[in-house]
Amino acid sequence: MSRYERHIMLAEIGVEGQRRLADAKVAVVGAGGLGAPVLYSLASAGVGTIKIIDSDTAELTNLNRQFIHFEGDIGKPKAMSAKEKLVRYNSVICVETVVKELNHSNAQALLADCDLVISCVDNKQTRHLINSVCINENIILIDGGISGFEGYVLTVLPGVSPCYACMFAHGEETKSGVLGAAAGVIGSLMAVEAIKILVGIPITRYLHYIDTLGFRVRPIAAEKRANCPVCGGF
């Protein structure tokens, strides 16, 4: 436990909270700009099992923001590249890799055994799929998005909070520029939310807007939609 001494000193975590982290299994979908800080933060916090799901390979254009991948990793599957770094960083944790695209035929099987899912993907179609599975399986979801200097963090507590479908409509994602450091900020905030949930700290605000250009973090009023096709009945 000496590795986590500074965690244990926190009244909100303590020894029991650190044990909860060690016993947890978290799925991270996407090992890119948001996934990189999420993965490093979970590993440093001592989350016992991390499942990385990503079908892509590392490219040169990724490296301005996806700092878990190095120049020598170009062409490697991102899930495998990320695992190499995490097991060297913390040899005690278990890192599972799934080098395949998350889709309607495999999403339930890949996510159902996890205590928490963190969505670090870059398209609405996959976000909606992950949200649907998490609601149906009663799994807490943390979702994040980034565009330019701005982004958001959404925490979905099934049966309690609004879900992703309550807040965001289906539609095509447009490719945009991304400040690498901003992706790091938002991914780190996603990891903070995940750690809070895993150790039992109550979550009272579900959606936050982050503007790194104006240096603002603002909670957004979020309410469940009674007619939501995903969570309306919960």
Side-chain angles (χ1 to χ4, degrees):
M1 284 282 190
S2 60
R3 180 177 190 134
Y4 311 110
E5 179 183 85
R6 293 301 182 97
H7 267 185
I8 294 169
M9 291 171 65
L10 294 170
E12 296 85 353
I13 298 180
V15 172
E16 179 58 31
Q18 196 59 49
R19 285 178 177 153
R20 289 186 183 186
L21 292 172
D23 291 339
K25 182 172 185 177
V26 177
V28 179
V29 188
L34 296 175
V38 166
L39 289 166
Y40 271 128
S41 295
L42 296 182
S44 68
V47 171
T49 303
I50 302 171
K51 178 186 284 189
I52 308 171
I53 305 171
D54 197 310
S55 63
D56 290 341
T57 57
E59 301 177 1
L60 182 63
T61 57
N62 301 150
L63 302 189
N64 84 307
R65 63 201 181 281
Q66 301 181 19
F67 55 80
I68 203 164
H69 311 299
F70 304 160
E71 289 182 356
D73 298 317
I74 292 172
K76 288 183 183 178
K78 289 183 182 179
M80 301 304 297
S81 169
K83 178 178 179 176
E84 290 174 4
K85 313 308 187 307
L86 297 186
V87 297
R88 291 175 61 191
Y89 184 62
N90 190 341
S91 61
V92 177
I93 64 173
C94 173
V95 181
E96 301 177 3
T97 55
V98 180
V99 186
K100 60 176 67 173
E101 182 180 9
L102 193 80
N103 56 43
H104 287 277
S105 65
N106 64 21
Q108 182 176 6
L110 290 176
L111 301 179
D113 65 338
C114 297
D115 302 302
L116 177 73
V117 174
I118 306 180
S119 172
C120 301
V121 300
D122 60 0
N123 68 90
K124 288 186 177 180
Q125 181 179 355
T126 307
R127 288 190 178 103
H128 278 286
L129 171 60
I130 295 169
N131 176 71
S132 180
V133 171
C134 287
I135 294 296
N136 291 336
E137 295 294 325
N138 197 32
I139 303 170
I140 295 173
L141 166 66
I142 296 173
D143 175 70
I146 175 73
S147 177
F149 292 82
E150 302 175 348
Y152 71 87
V153 176
L154 172 67
T155 302
V156 178
L157 309 177
V160 177
S161 74
C163 76
Y164 180 84
C166 289
M167 307 302 300
F168 299 97
H170 284 273
E172 293 296 322
E173 202 80 29
T174 57
K175 190 173 182 179
S176 65
V178 175
L179 179 70
V185 168
I186 293 165
S188 294
L189 291 173
M190 294 168 71
V192 169
E193 289 294 281
I195 292 167
K196 285 162 57 180
I197 288 167
L198 292 173
V199 302
I201 297 172
I203 302 296
T204 57
R205 299 277 189 171
Y206 307 119
L207 178 62
H208 290 83
Y209 162 77
I210 300 99
D211 170 18
T212 65
L213 192 61
F215 227 112
R216 293 178 296 165
V217 177
R218 179 165 56 94
I220 304 295
E223 296 183 359
K224 294 179 68 174
R225 279 199 298 126
N227 63 343
C228 175
V230 179
C231 76
F234 289 86

